[in-house]
């Protein structure tokens, strides 16, 4: 330690103080995970229940929250949808209006258009209910995000089979880039804070 | 809920500056820990139900269910104030609520080496040529597949409280007779290995 001039110590102290301040400030630190390198899903689009193709790119100045799940899921999916819903409630209405929750069903067999749309309406004022029965289309979209899913073998017509799936929520911006990932279980206050930060960065 | 920190930035440790790097690293870490975002308080309006058995259920709640959803979940805290271990070994629900109830655990499947982001089951096969843009780190942040499995028992050791909570153990309600709506209650009957049965009334709420 000998031989270090005061300048070094000053610099050290400055760094040591500045970092935690930034972290502890109101809401400067993102709780979600930044994808490096940034992942583009701009080429992906999936059909909405109504049949219209929805691009995985938010409208200018807006964000999409994309989640792959299924409605027969009792725990993980409704927990996430509820957390996102509360996160949007925590935002200023003008910011919340610029966020669209999007669920892609990985279980189109049980999740009919009506079931899926009704499900999302329970949680959100506006949302995209995305469903395709074309497995190649679903697989391509899932692969673009890095989502895995697995539907258990079941006899035709069965309604009680298991589905495993990646339960991450992807925040996608108006360039079709996944700018942030929220792991399952992230609390809604952190989501709210992340959305505020992302919007501030973009204005 | 403790795996959600932004990954540490790469530490710049140039020659002979270990001490500086260490300081710069340790200081924010300590403070970050201090300004944690989750408070784990579970003292939110718990309503004791059941008898004076050694096992006590508090804060039982069921999540509201969307109109056409078939599945529901009930959560609670189970405290074993007694001196002997016990276990939750069964659950039942009235058919007016749901066709059946099961004890479930949500688990995370860690990414397998061959996992490329493609579904691995027989029903959903990977479309050829779609792996071109596959990110290599699909499980980098614990983003493995989540699934749930029925469990035969949930141990409740003496002196401990076991949580049935989102992302963990829960009572799954299958084939709901009607949507679970805010303000309603649902009753489930729990069977414990030693403490016998207890009827638990769960408040229906959004979260």
């Amino acid at each position: 330690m000998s031989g270090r001039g005061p300048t070094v110590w000053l610099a050290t102290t400055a760094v040591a103080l500045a970092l935690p301040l930034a972290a502890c400030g109101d809401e400067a630190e993102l709780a979600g995970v930044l994808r490096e390198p940034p992942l583009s899903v701009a080429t992906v689009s999936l059909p909405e229940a109504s049949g219209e193709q929805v691009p995985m790119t938010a409208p200018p100045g807006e964000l999409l929250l994309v989640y792959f799940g299924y409605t027969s899921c009792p725990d993980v999916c409704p927990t996430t949808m509820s957390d996102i819903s509360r996160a949007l409630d925590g935002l200023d209405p003008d910011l919340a209006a610029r966020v669209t929750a999007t669920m892609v069903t990985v279980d189109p067999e049980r999740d009919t258009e009506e079931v899926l749309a009704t499900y999302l309406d329970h949680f959100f004022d506006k949302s995209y209910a995305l469903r395709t029965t074309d497995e190649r289309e679903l697989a391509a979209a899932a692969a673009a995000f890095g989502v895995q899913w697995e539907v258990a073998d079941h006899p035709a017509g069965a309604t009680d089979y298991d589905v495993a799936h990646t339960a991450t929520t992807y925040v996608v911006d108006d360039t079709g880039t996944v700018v942030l990932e929220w792991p399952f279980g992230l609390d809604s206050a952190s989501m709210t804070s992340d959305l505020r930060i992302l919007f501030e960065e973009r204005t | 809920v403790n795996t959600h920190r932004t990954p540490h930035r790469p530490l710049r440790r140039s020659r002979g500056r270990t001490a500086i790097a260490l300081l710069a690293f340790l200081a924010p870490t300590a403070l970050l820990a201090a300004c944690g975002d989750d408070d784990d308080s579970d003292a939110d309006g718990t309503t004791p139900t059941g008898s004076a058995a050694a096992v006590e259920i508090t804060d039982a709640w069921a999540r509201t269910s969307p109109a056409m959803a078939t599945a529901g979940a009930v959560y609670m805290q189970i405290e074993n104030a007694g001196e002997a271990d016990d276990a939750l070994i069964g659950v039942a629900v009235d058919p007016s609520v749901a066709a059946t109830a099961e004890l479930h655990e949500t688990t995370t499947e860690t990414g397998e080496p061959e996992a490329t982001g493609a579904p691995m089951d027989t029903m959903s096969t990977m479309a050829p040529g779609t792996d071109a843009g596959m990110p290599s780190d699909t499980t980098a942040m614990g983003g493995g597949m989540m699934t749930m499995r029925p469990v035969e028992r949930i141990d409740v050791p003496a002196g401990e409280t076991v949580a049935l909570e989102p992302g963990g153990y829960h009572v799954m309600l299958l084939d709901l007779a009607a949507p679970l709506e805010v303000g309603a209650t649902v009753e489930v009957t729990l069977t414990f290995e030693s403490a016998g049965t207890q009827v638990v009334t769960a408040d229906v709420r959004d979260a």
Side-chain angles (χ1 to χ4, degrees), chain A residues 61-197:
Chain A
E62 300 194 8
L63 294 170
L64 294 182
L65 306 180
V66 183
Y67 181 83
F68 289 71
Y70 67 110
T71 73
S72 309
C73 161
D75 183 37
V76 170
C77 306
T79 297
T80 304
M81 293 301 112
S82 171
D83 286 343
I84 292 175
S85 171
R86 285 192 294 155
L88 297 182
D89 288 344
L91 271 185
D92 296 335
D94 58 324
L95 287 186
R98 290 158 61 189
V99 182
T100 307
T102 302
M103 183 160 135
V104 181
T105 179
V106 295
D107 182 20
E109 186 178 333
R110 282 181 295 188
D111 289 344
T112 63
E113 292 168 9
E114 188 185 12
V115 165
L116 188 63
T118 308
Y119 186 84
L120 284 162
D121 285 347
H122 176 80
F123 297 100
F124 307 107
D125 293 335
K126 60 163 182 158
S127 59
Y128 289 129
L130 304 185
R131 172 183 185 267
T132 176
T133 51
D134 178 349
E135 285 188 14
R136 294 166 63 103
E137 187 176 34
L138 179 56
F145 281 88
V147 163
Q148 295 173 259
W149 89 98
E150 186 176 347
V151 178
D153 286 338
H154 58 276
T159 57
D160 61 349
Y161 51 89
D162 290 332
V163 177
H165 61 106
T166 302
T168 302
T169 300
Y170 302 88
V171 185
V172 182
D173 72 4
D174 55 9
T175 67
T177 302
V178 175
V179 290
L180 202 60
E181 296 180 12
W182 289 334
F184 170 76
L186 185 66
D187 61 288
S188 59
S190 296
M191 294 179 180
T192 304
S193 164
D194 279 3
L195 290 171
R196 279 205 198 102
I197 294 169

Side-chain angles (χ1 to χ4, degrees), chain B:
Chain B
V1 202
N2 31 30
T3 57
H4 314 129
R5 295 270 172 248
T6 308
H8 291 129
R9 283 158 191 76
L11 253 182
R12 262 197 212 113
R13 187 174 298 187
S14 51
R15 304 123 298 180
R17 304 241 168 136
T18 319
I20 297 176
L22 209 66
L23 238 180
F25 175 68
L26 284 180
T29 309
L31 283 179
L32 267 177
C35 58
D37 45 358
D38 280 59
D39 63 311
D40 288 330
S41 87
D42 40 13
D44 46 328
T46 59
T47 342
T49 52
S51 65
V55 169
E56 191 175 344
I57 314 295
T58 56
D59 196 25
W61 67 285
R63 191 186 295 286
T64 52
S65 70
M68 298 181 70
T70 56
V74 182
Y75 306 102
M76 67 194 76
Q77 305 283 322
I78 305 174
E79 181 186 5
N80 183 352
E83 291 177 357
D85 294 345
D86 205 340
L88 176 58
I89 56 169
V91 62
V93 67
D94 191 88
S96 64
V97 176
T100 40
E102 294 176 357
L103 300 177
H104 277 229
E105 180 181 21
T106 293
T107 56
T108 303
E109 297 179 5
T110 49
E112 291 168 30
E114 78 271 24
T116 58
M120 292 175 293
D121 65 289
T122 51
M123 233 192 82
S124 316
T125 42
M126 183 72 171
T130 50
D131 58 346
M134 254 324 289
S136 55
D137 59 339
T138 56
T139 58
M141 38 164 290
M145 287 194 294
M146 301 197 77
T147 185
M148 50 176 199
R149 61 186 182 96
V151 291
E152 289 186 358
R153 58 187 285 126
I154 297 173
D155 287 318
V156 189
E160 293 190 18
T161 299
V162 172
L164 273 56
E165 60 189 0
Y169 290 123
H170 54 274
V171 171
M172 179 177 177
L173 304 176
L174 294 92
D175 287 328
L176 291 169
L180 303 177
E181 294 180 343
V182 173
T185 58
V186 293
E187 282 191 352
V188 292
T189 304
L190 305 179
T191 303
F192 291 90
E193 203 164 53
S194 305
T197 62
Q198 279 199 38
V199 176
V200 173
T201 303
D203 296 326
V204 179
R205 56 183 207 236
D206 281 327

